[in-house]
Amino acid sequence: EVQINYQSIGSGAGIRQATEGTVDFGASDGPMTDQQIADYKSKRGTDILHFPTVLGAVVPAYNVPGVASGLKFTPEALAGIFLGTITKWNDAAIASANPGTKLPAQDIVVVHRSDGSGTTYVWTDFLSKVSSQWQSKVGKNSSVNWPVGLGGKGNEGVAGLVQQTSGALGYVELIYALQNKIDYGPVRNSSGAFVNADLASVTAAAAGAAANMPDDFRVSITNAPGKTAYPISSFTWLLIPAKIDDAAKRKAITDFLKWMLADGQKLTEALHYAQLPRPVVVKELKAISAVK
């Protein structure tokens, strides 16, 4: 008898609406910051809890005429492209990772999110770890001041712009690249291996975090160690108030969490998300009791 209304409005809006109290719970692909949590507490009079739901990947998606899917990207190339210092598809930073691929002397059209987005948080978290210049000039957040590029609203908007724009490069969640049949490529990880985003490589990225998961579940797994780890991976979280006064609503939300951690996990892989590691599920099931 319970209905849950989901709107894909971006993680920034999800956090904002949860903080304003206009929704019962929110969701984000990037954990809330200490400041956002403090703002939430001051407005709502209670804490907000993070519950990981699935593991996902953000991929570099591109539209380059005559270049097939599977173009390899180094962290340095991605940082340079999004900083605006690498502007042509045949730049040595891209060509050197792709010997034998004929790359055109075409301008790169950078596409990024225009709305506050957990996907942006994951992307900029990765770039901040691999590029000191990115870290100092732009940094990581769900919204940043982009040095270059066009903005698209939602993963849908970025995917659409990449599809429509010759020479485009953007970043989207893996499922949007697959559903829209957009070319995307492997990224060099911290071990030096070029790894494609898939269920196994995303699961590998979470292996270290699973054993050392903090009590509040806020953890970054971008640029994770391991030869098989995909470097732009992330947990995605539900944001649940610690105190829910309406008993029926509290039961509905906690029952949904329990379902999500059990039967719900079996539905993730058909949607190109990876299941949560078992130790994380066990820890979360205990943490649900904190919702009062």
Side-chain angles (χ1 to χ4, degrees), residues 91-283:
D91 188 285
I94 305 169
S96 60
N98 296 278
T101 301
K102 188 165 171 51
L103 292 163
Q106 185 175 4
D107 286 342
I108 300 170
V109 181
V110 173
V111 184
H112 55 71
R113 288 285 285 271
S114 59
D115 53 329
S117 145
T119 312
T120 294
Y121 181 93
V122 176
W123 188 256
T124 58
D125 180 41
F126 170 69
L127 292 181
S128 293
K129 287 181 182 178
V130 298
S131 165
S132 57
Q133 192 179 7
W134 183 274
Q135 170 64 38
S136 62
K137 281 192 169 183
V138 186
K140 65 175 179 183
N141 212 324
S142 56
S143 292
V144 295
N145 290 319
W146 295 100
V148 290
L150 307 172
K153 186 167 172 52
N155 276 291
E156 304 92 333
V158 173
L161 273 173
V162 171
Q163 274 185 308
Q164 296 158 20
T165 311
S166 179
L169 173 72
Y171 59 91
V172 292
E173 284 186 54
L174 175 60
I175 184 137
Y176 287 88
L178 293 168
Q179 283 181 338
N180 293 287
K181 297 182 171 57
I182 303 173
D183 293 327
Y184 66 96
V187 180
R188 198 187 71 213
N189 68 12
S190 62
S191 298
F194 284 94
V195 177
N196 228 336
D198 57 26
L199 299 177
S201 62
V202 172
T203 301
N212 303 290
M213 179 64 73
D215 289 341
D216 67 2
F217 297 102
R218 291 189 298 159
V219 66
S220 166
I221 56 168
T222 56
N223 212 36
K227 283 189 174 176
T228 59
Y230 179 69
I232 320 178
S233 300
S234 179
F235 288 97
T236 178
W237 294 264
L238 290 190
L239 310 170
I240 309 286
K243 189 168 185 290
I244 303 171
D245 292 327
D246 183 326
K249 203 164 269 188
R250 181 171 63 247
K251 184 178 188 311
I253 290 172
T254 53
D255 283 353
F256 175 56
L257 275 172
K258 289 170 187 170
W259 171 85
M260 181 196 74
L261 293 168
D263 293 353
Q265 290 295 303
K266 299 166 192 163
L267 305 176
T268 61
E269 295 184 357
L271 301 168
H272 301 283
Y273 293 91
Q275 293 189 30
L276 295 170
R278 187 65 199 161
V280 177
V281 170
V282 171
K283 194 175 175 82

Side-chain angles (χ1 to χ4, degrees), residues 60-86:
Y62 59 90
N63 175 358
V64 186
V67 177
S69 200
L71 195 65
K72 294 175 181 173
F73 293 94
T74 65
E76 296 81 7
L78 290 174
I81 291 165
F82 277 78
L83 282 166
T85 57
I86 295 172

